[in-house]
Amino acid sequence: RDEADHLMRMKNKVFIFAALFAGLALGAPPLGAWGWAGHVTIGKHAVAQASPAARAALMDILGAGTAADLERAVEQACFWPDTLDAAPEWAWADPLHYVNLPRADGHYDRQRDCPDGVCITEGIAKYAAELGRPELSQSEQGRERRRQAFAWLCHLVGDLHQPLHTGFRDDRGGNRYEVRYRGRPYNLHEFWDRVLVDERLAAFPVPIDPPAEPAPACASGPWQAADVIAWTEESHALVLSSSYPPGRDIDEAFADRSWALVQSQWHLAALRLAVILDTVLAPESFAGCE
């Protein structure tokens, strides 16, 4: 029975990926923070900036035989968590995409903000650690755990850099904050997640192709799990400084500033994800760094 259940889960994953890309081909709207283009841009840029050793390890984990295979696998993996809404076995994972902090305290407190460990901050640390366990690859079930760990890691690092995914608890990260943009009603979270990105990419597409040169490992040093707390608080600070318009009507100036911030956050997320990949998959990349 266990083997049959495992095969069924694998078939379901294949079906999900096939349905996802069929939808994209037909112009289906992107889902979740940053949408498909944001998560794919972050993932591909991060992998391109990771060390050759980390990319080789990732090729093995994702079952990619060529660089082109790796790009396609990264595209699928980094958006995959947003395709799980209808999968009952993943219902528990919805809170992984965010963490809500109280308005009066911008510091992350696990006991207060994530007592069960199911939130974006703890999720990044969990899946980074799981990705960095090569012994799991000794079995197909373990290899699947590492593939899923990469998918969640890539996706959650992207989500963390959408400020409202670390937003206020009392308005559920802007989901209960109503605004108007170009005469239409939205909630603020929807504006950041979908409306602004869709509009600006339609008018001014951002290249998804990654840069040619990897980032030098010694420029940042190895990643530590504690860094995610600092990133969470940094993103939450953007909620305070930059995420809410002066009034309920969003004007062009606020939209322009917001789009510039989106692009900056994509770039930052890719750099940080690359460092995580090097740290957990190729720690030798940091040899000689002081």
Side-chain angles (χ1 to χ4, degrees):
R1 181 179 176 85
D2 289 345
E3 184 177 355
D5 288 345
H6 175 66
L7 288 173
M8 181 60 70
R9 286 194 297 271
M10 293 295 291
K11 289 178 180 177
N12 286 343
K13 280 193 274 289
V14 171
F15 174 78
I16 287 170
F17 283 143
L20 166 63
F21 283 94
L24 290 172
L26 293 172
L31 306 171
W34 303 141
W36 177 82
H39 284 296
V40 169
T41 298
I42 291 166
K44 290 176 72 171
H45 282 230
V47 171
Q49 294 175 88
S51 67
R55 282 198 300 276
L58 198 55
M59 288 180 72
D60 181 64
I61 292 166
L62 298 180
T66 67
D69 290 340
L70 178 61
E71 283 201 7
R72 286 190 291 269
V74 169
E75 288 180 4
Q76 293 177 352
C78 293
F79 188 66
W80 174 70
D82 270 345
T83 71
L84 300 176
D85 289 347
E89 67 271 25
W90 285 102
W92 66 269
D94 287 349
L96 278 175
H97 295 267
Y98 62 89
V99 64
N100 290 147
L101 277 62
R103 206 173 278 268
D105 188 352
H107 297 289
Y108 172 76
D109 181 325
R110 173 170 176 165
Q111 184 174 359
R112 179 193 66 198
D113 303 323
C114 190
D116 58 2
V118 183
C119 69
I120 193 168
T121 307
E122 303 303 325
I124 289 171
K126 165 186 164 64
Y127 288 113
E130 196 152 294
L131 181 64
R133 293 180 57 192
E135 72 275 10
L136 290 177
S137 292
Q138 294 175 9
S139 69
E140 181 53 38
Q141 184 177 16
R143 291 175 69 87
E144 180 59 24
R145 282 179 62 186
R146 292 185 86 194
R147 284 191 286 267
Q148 291 186 9
F150 169 73
W152 277 109
L153 176 64
C154 178
H155 190 88
L156 295 182
V157 170
D159 277 355
L160 184 67
H161 288 78
Q162 202 279 56
L164 287 173
H165 280 244
T166 63
F168 302 131
R169 184 178 299 142
D170 57 38
D171 70 4
R172 295 176 60 85
N175 278 289
R176 292 179 177 170
Y177 191 90
E178 300 303 317
V179 296
R180 295 185 68 84
Y181 180 56
R182 302 199 185 284
R184 295 183 178 181
Y186 303 102
N187 68 63
L188 185 64
H189 196 110
E190 180 183 21
F191 169 79
W192 278 94
D193 258 7
R194 178 182 62 81
V195 175
L196 178 66
V197 173
D198 286 359
E199 176 192 82
R200 296 306 168 103
L201 286 181
F204 306 103
V206 173
I208 290 178
D209 292 337
E213 295 297 326
C218 291
S220 57
W223 169 79
Q224 301 177 59
D227 292 341
V228 187
I229 295 175
W231 301 347
T232 300
E233 294 177 352
E234 173 191 274
S235 190
H236 184 74
L238 291 174
V239 177
L240 295 166
S241 67
S242 307
S243 298
Y244 285 73
R248 297 287 179 146
D249 287 313
I250 293 176
D251 61 18
E252 199 68 23
F254 180 82
D256 287 345
R257 291 194 302 271
S258 300
W259 179 234
L261 180 60
V262 167
Q263 294 177 82
S264 174
Q265 290 296 96
W266 286 3
H267 175 73
L268 185 58
L271 285 173
R272 288 171 168 173
L273 179 57
V275 175
I276 297 177
L277 294 176
D278 279 349
T279 301
V280 302
L281 295 177
E284 66 276 8
S285 302
F286 297 96
C289 295
E290 296 182 357

